[in-house]
PDB file of all heavy atoms in Angstrom:
ATOM      1  N   VAL H 264      16.345  41.293  30.279  1.00 90.00           N
ATOM      2  CA  VAL H 264      17.089  40.182  30.902  1.00 90.00           C
ATOM      3  C   VAL H 264      17.973  40.658  32.035  1.00 90.00           C
ATOM      4  O   VAL H 264      18.602  41.756  31.940  1.00 90.00           O
ATOM      5  CB  VAL H 264      17.940  39.440  29.872  1.00 90.00           C
ATOM      6  CG1 VAL H 264      18.612  38.305  30.519  1.00 90.00           C
ATOM      7  CG2 VAL H 264      17.182  39.083  28.655  1.00 90.00           C
ATOM      8  N   THR H 265      17.870  39.884  33.193  1.00 92.00           N
ATOM      9  CA  THR H 265      18.858  40.076  34.283  1.00 92.00           C
ATOM     10  C   THR H 265      19.332  38.691  34.670  1.00 92.00           C
ATOM     11  O   THR H 265      18.516  37.814  34.840  1.00 92.00           O
ATOM     12  CB  THR H 265      18.257  40.793  35.492  1.00 92.00           C
ATOM     13  OG1 THR H 265      17.785  42.114  35.053  1.00 92.00           O
ATOM     14  CG2 THR H 265      19.190  40.870  36.617  1.00 92.00           C
ATOM     15  N   GLN H 266      20.630  38.455  34.660  1.00 93.00           N
ATOM     16  CA  GLN H 266      21.138  37.091  35.034  1.00 93.00           C
ATOM     17  C   GLN H 266      22.391  37.228  35.886  1.00 93.00           C
ATOM     18  O   GLN H 266      23.197  38.167  35.771  1.00 93.00           O
ATOM     19  CB  GLN H 266      21.404  36.335  33.654  1.00 93.00           C
ATOM     20  CG  GLN H 266      22.329  37.078  32.699  1.00 93.00           C
ATOM     21  CD  GLN H 266      23.793  36.595  32.788  1.00 93.00           C
ATOM     22  OE1 GLN H 266      24.056  35.735  33.597  1.00 93.00           O
ATOM     23  NE2 GLN H 266      24.585  37.193  32.073  1.00 93.00           N
ATOM     24  N   LEU H 267      22.561  36.155  36.705  1.00 95.00           N
ATOM     25  CA  LEU H 267      23.677  35.945  37.484  1.00 95.00           C
ATOM     26  C   LEU H 267      24.181  34.490  37.369  1.00 95.00           C
ATOM     27  O   LEU H 267      23.438  33.589  37.608  1.00 95.00           O
ATOM     28  CB  LEU H 267      23.476  36.292  38.953  1.00 95.00           C
ATOM     29  CG  LEU H 267      24.620  36.024  39.924  1.00 95.00           C
ATOM     30  CD1 LEU H 267      25.785  36.960  39.635  1.00 95.00           C
ATOM     31  CD2 LEU H 267      24.167  36.229  41.387  1.00 95.00           C
ATOM     32  N   ARG H 268      25.436  34.281  36.958  1.00 95.00           N
ATOM     33  CA  ARG H 268      25.975  32.942  36.662  1.00 95.00           C
ATOM     34  C   ARG H 268      27.069  32.571  37.532  1.00 95.00           C
ATOM     35  O   ARG H 268      27.926  33.455  37.784  1.00 95.00           O
ATOM     36  CB  ARG H 268      26.293  32.793  35.164  1.00 95.00           C
ATOM     37  CG  ARG H 268      26.788  31.438  34.777  1.00 95.00           C
ATOM     38  CD  ARG H 268      27.346  31.431  33.339  1.00 95.00           C
ATOM     39  NE  ARG H 268      26.305  31.829  32.345  1.00 95.00           N
ATOM     40  CZ  ARG H 268      25.430  30.985  31.775  1.00 95.00           C
ATOM     41  NH1 ARG H 268      25.401  29.763  32.118  1.00 95.00           N
ATOM     42  NH2 ARG H 268      24.544  31.431  31.014  1.00 95.00           N
ATOM     43  N   ALA H 269      27.017  31.369  38.052  1.00 95.00           N
ATOM     44  CA  ALA H 269      28.211  30.796  38.761  1.00 95.00           C
ATOM     45  C   ALA H 269      29.193  30.439  37.754  1.00 95.00           C
ATOM     46  O   ALA H 269      29.131  29.337  37.149  1.00 95.00           O
ATOM     47  CB  ALA H 269      27.764  29.614  39.640  1.00 95.00           C
ATOM     48  N   ARG H 270      30.212  31.311  37.489  1.00 94.00           N
ATOM     49  CA  ARG H 270      31.128  31.096  36.399  1.00 94.00           C
ATOM     50  C   ARG H 270      32.042  29.973  36.770  1.00 94.00           C
ATOM     51  O   ARG H 270      32.259  29.017  35.996  1.00 94.00           O
ATOM     52  CB  ARG H 270      31.828  32.294  36.126  1.00 94.00           C
ATOM     53  CG  ARG H 270      32.798  32.251  34.906  1.00 94.00           C
ATOM     54  CD  ARG H 270      32.026  32.245  33.644  1.00 94.00           C
ATOM     55  NE  ARG H 270      31.140  33.393  33.454  1.00 94.00           N
ATOM     56  CZ  ARG H 270      30.233  33.444  32.486  1.00 94.00           C
ATOM     57  NH1 ARG H 270      30.035  32.365  31.703  1.00 94.00           N
ATOM     58  NH2 ARG H 270      29.442  34.444  32.405  1.00 94.00           N
ATOM     59  N   THR H 271      32.756  30.077  37.874  1.00 95.00           N
ATOM     60  CA  THR H 271      33.611  28.980  38.369  1.00 95.00           C
ATOM     61  C   THR H 271      33.434  28.802  39.795  1.00 95.00           C
ATOM     62  O   THR H 271      33.299  29.746  40.586  1.00 95.00           O
ATOM     63  CB  THR H 271      35.084  29.253  38.019  1.00 95.00           C
ATOM     64  OG1 THR H 271      35.457  30.514  38.611  1.00 95.00           O
ATOM     65  CG2 THR H 271      35.391  29.307  36.500  1.00 95.00           C
ATOM     66  N   ILE H 272      33.449  27.517  40.282  1.00 96.00           N
ATOM     67  CA  ILE H 272      33.485  27.167  41.664  1.00 96.00           C
ATOM     68  C   ILE H 272      34.472  26.029  41.927  1.00 96.00           C
ATOM     69  O   ILE H 272      34.458  25.095  41.124  1.00 96.00           O
ATOM     70  CB  ILE H 272      32.031  26.702  42.101  1.00 96.00           C
ATOM     71  CG1 ILE H 272      31.033  27.878  42.037  1.00 96.00           C
ATOM     72  CG2 ILE H 272      32.066  26.131  43.559  1.00 96.00           C
ATOM     73  CD1 ILE H 272      29.680  27.412  42.446  1.00 96.00           C
ATOM     74  N   GLN H 273      35.333  26.278  42.852  1.00 96.00           N
ATOM     75  CA  GLN H 273      36.396  25.198  43.047  1.00 96.00           C
ATOM     76  C   GLN H 273      36.610  24.962  44.501  1.00 96.00           C
ATOM     77  O   GLN H 273      36.671  25.904  45.330  1.00 96.00           O
ATOM     78  CB  GLN H 273      37.638  25.645  42.375  1.00 96.00           C
ATOM     79  CG  GLN H 273      38.797  24.660  42.517  1.00 96.00           C
ATOM     80  CD  GLN H 273      40.014  25.024  41.622  1.00 96.00           C
ATOM     81  OE1 GLN H 273      40.169  24.395  40.537  1.00 96.00           O
ATOM     82  NE2 GLN H 273      40.892  25.840  42.147  1.00 96.00           N
ATOM     83  N   LEU H 274      36.744  23.671  44.835  1.00 96.00           N
ATOM     84  CA  LEU H 274      36.987  23.305  46.269  1.00 96.00           C
ATOM     85  C   LEU H 274      38.224  22.332  46.211  1.00 96.00           C
ATOM     86  O   LEU H 274      38.199  21.344  45.378  1.00 96.00           O
ATOM     87  CB  LEU H 274      35.798  22.608  46.861  1.00 96.00           C
ATOM     88  CG  LEU H 274      35.966  21.946  48.281  1.00 96.00           C
ATOM     89  CD1 LEU H 274      36.238  23.091  49.226  1.00 96.00           C
ATOM     90  CD2 LEU H 274      34.690  21.173  48.655  1.00 96.00           C
ATOM     91  N   GLY H 275      39.192  22.592  46.994  1.00 95.00           N
ATOM     92  CA  GLY H 275      40.369  21.797  47.006  1.00 95.00           C
ATOM     93  C   GLY H 275      40.838  21.406  48.365  1.00 95.00           C
ATOM     94  O   GLY H 275      40.513  22.051  49.357  1.00 95.00           O
ATOM     95  N   TYR H 276      41.621  20.345  48.438  1.00 93.00           N
ATOM     96  CA  TYR H 276      42.164  19.834  49.744  1.00 93.00           C
ATOM     97  C   TYR H 276      43.671  19.377  49.480  1.00 93.00           C
ATOM     98  O   TYR H 276      43.903  18.626  48.574  1.00 93.00           O
ATOM     99  CB  TYR H 276      41.425  18.663  50.281  1.00 93.00           C
ATOM    100  CG  TYR H 276      42.062  18.071  51.479  1.00 93.00           C
ATOM    101  CD1 TYR H 276      41.928  18.685  52.730  1.00 93.00           C
ATOM    102  CD2 TYR H 276      42.675  16.799  51.493  1.00 93.00           C
ATOM    103  CE1 TYR H 276      42.491  18.176  53.920  1.00 93.00           C
ATOM    104  CE2 TYR H 276      43.291  16.255  52.611  1.00 93.00           C
ATOM    105  CZ  TYR H 276      43.156  16.962  53.813  1.00 93.00           C
ATOM    106  OH  TYR H 276      43.720  16.413  54.968  1.00 93.00           O
ATOM    107  N   THR H 277      44.519  20.059  50.172  1.00 91.00           N
ATOM    108  CA  THR H 277      45.990  19.721  50.139  1.00 91.00           C
ATOM    109  C   THR H 277      46.297  18.729  51.174  1.00 91.00           C
ATOM    110  O   THR H 277      46.176  18.917  52.369  1.00 91.00           O
ATOM    111  CB  THR H 277      46.815  21.000  50.339  1.00 91.00           C
ATOM    112  OG1 THR H 277      46.523  21.967  49.256  1.00 91.00           O
ATOM    113  CG2 THR H 277      48.308  20.683  50.158  1.00 91.00           C
ATOM    114  N   ILE H 278      46.821  17.558  50.746  1.00 88.00           N
ATOM    115  CA  ILE H 278      47.147  16.459  51.652  1.00 88.00           C
ATOM    116  C   ILE H 278      48.326  16.854  52.496  1.00 88.00           C
ATOM    117  O   ILE H 278      49.356  17.264  51.941  1.00 88.00           O
ATOM    118  CB  ILE H 278      47.368  15.119  50.889  1.00 88.00           C
ATOM    119  CG1 ILE H 278      46.175  14.833  50.077  1.00 88.00           C
ATOM    120  CG2 ILE H 278      47.768  13.998  51.851  1.00 88.00           C
ATOM    121  CD1 ILE H 278      46.337  13.533  49.216  1.00 88.00           C
ATOM    122  N   PRO H 279      48.287  16.702  53.809  1.00 87.00           N
ATOM    123  CA  PRO H 279      49.453  17.082  54.652  1.00 87.00           C
ATOM    124  C   PRO H 279      50.720  16.405  54.215  1.00 87.00           C
ATOM    125  O   PRO H 279      50.745  15.244  53.752  1.00 87.00           O
ATOM    126  CB  PRO H 279      48.997  16.630  56.039  1.00 87.00           C
ATOM    127  CG  PRO H 279      47.487  16.661  55.973  1.00 87.00           C
ATOM    128  CD  PRO H 279      47.169  16.238  54.557  1.00 87.00           C
ATOM    129  N   ALA H 280      51.847  17.083  54.380  1.00 82.00           N
ATOM    130  CA  ALA H 280      53.133  16.587  53.862  1.00 82.00           C
ATOM    131  C   ALA H 280      53.549  15.304  54.633  1.00 82.00           C
ATOM    132  O   ALA H 280      54.214  14.418  54.011  1.00 82.00           O
ATOM    133  CB  ALA H 280      54.180  17.699  54.101  1.00 82.00           C
ATOM    134  N   ARG H 281      53.151  15.178  55.865  1.00 81.00           N
ATOM    135  CA  ARG H 281      53.590  13.994  56.593  1.00 81.00           C
ATOM    136  C   ARG H 281      53.007  12.697  56.048  1.00 81.00           C
ATOM    137  O   ARG H 281      53.481  11.636  56.328  1.00 81.00           O
ATOM    138  CB  ARG H 281      53.214  14.133  58.108  1.00 81.00           C
ATOM    139  CG  ARG H 281      51.723  14.176  58.314  1.00 81.00           C
ATOM    140  CD  ARG H 281      51.365  14.303  59.813  1.00 81.00           C
ATOM    141  NE  ARG H 281      49.875  14.210  60.051  1.00 81.00           N
ATOM    142  CZ  ARG H 281      49.111  15.216  59.973  1.00 81.00           C
ATOM    143  NH1 ARG H 281      49.549  16.391  59.664  1.00 81.00           N
ATOM    144  NH2 ARG H 281      47.833  15.075  60.241  1.00 81.00           N
ATOM    145  N   ILE H 282      51.872  12.796  55.342  1.00 81.00           N
ATOM    146  CA  ILE H 282      51.263  11.616  54.782  1.00 81.00           C
ATOM    147  C   ILE H 282      51.913  11.264  53.440  1.00 81.00           C
ATOM    148  O   ILE H 282      52.008  10.069  53.050  1.00 81.00           O
ATOM    149  CB  ILE H 282      49.738  11.913  54.553  1.00 81.00           C
ATOM    150  CG1 ILE H 282      49.131  12.204  55.904  1.00 81.00           C
ATOM    151  CG2 ILE H 282      49.024  10.763  53.879  1.00 81.00           C
ATOM    152  CD1 ILE H 282      47.614  12.512  55.811  1.00 81.00           C
ATOM    153  N   ILE H 283      52.360  12.191  52.592  1.00 79.00           N
ATOM    154  CA  ILE H 283      52.835  11.907  51.292  1.00 79.00           C
ATOM    155  C   ILE H 283      54.379  11.895  51.164  1.00 79.00           C
ATOM    156  O   ILE H 283      54.885  11.492  50.147  1.00 79.00           O
ATOM    157  CB  ILE H 283      52.266  12.971  50.273  1.00 79.00           C
ATOM    158  CG1 ILE H 283      52.749  14.396  50.680  1.00 79.00           C
ATOM    159  CG2 ILE H 283      50.733  12.888  50.260  1.00 79.00           C
ATOM    160  CD1 ILE H 283      52.391  15.452  49.721  1.00 79.00           C
ATOM    161  N   GLN H 284      55.161  12.314  52.249  1.00 77.00           N
ATOM    162  CA  GLN H 284      56.574  12.386  52.069  1.00 77.00           C
ATOM    163  C   GLN H 284      57.177  11.037  51.867  1.00 77.00           C
ATOM    164  O   GLN H 284      58.290  10.990  51.219  1.00 77.00           O
ATOM    165  CB  GLN H 284      57.148  13.066  53.267  1.00 77.00           C
ATOM    166  CG  GLN H 284      56.878  12.322  54.583  1.00 77.00           C
ATOM    167  CD  GLN H 284      57.406  13.171  55.785  1.00 77.00           C
ATOM    168  OE1 GLN H 284      57.924  14.287  55.618  1.00 77.00           O
ATOM    169  NE2 GLN H 284      57.278  12.648  56.934  1.00 77.00           N
ATOM    170  N   ARG H 285      56.608   9.969  52.346  1.00 77.00           N
ATOM    171  CA  ARG H 285      57.156   8.659  52.187  1.00 77.00           C
ATOM    172  C   ARG H 285      57.119   8.287  50.724  1.00 77.00           C
ATOM    173  O   ARG H 285      57.902   7.408  50.268  1.00 77.00           O
ATOM    174  CB  ARG H 285      56.412   7.583  53.018  1.00 77.00           C
ATOM    175  CG  ARG H 285      56.584   7.824  54.496  1.00 77.00           C
ATOM    176  CD  ARG H 285      55.902   6.769  55.272  1.00 77.00           C
ATOM    177  NE  ARG H 285      56.029   6.959  56.720  1.00 77.00           N
ATOM    178  CZ  ARG H 285      55.529   6.177  57.640  1.00 77.00           C
ATOM    179  NH1 ARG H 285      54.800   5.097  57.281  1.00 77.00           N
ATOM    180  NH2 ARG H 285      55.698   6.419  58.933  1.00 77.00           N
TER     181      ARG H 285
END
Side-chain angles (χ1 to χ4, degrees):
V264 183
T265 298
Q266 55 95 3
L267 176 67
R268 183 184 298 274
R270 187 67 60 190
T271 57
I272 295 179
Q273 180 168 266
L274 177 65
Y276 176 73
T277 301
I278 301 175
R281 66 178 184 277
I282 298 177
I283 61 175
Q284 60 185 2
R285 294 182 180 179

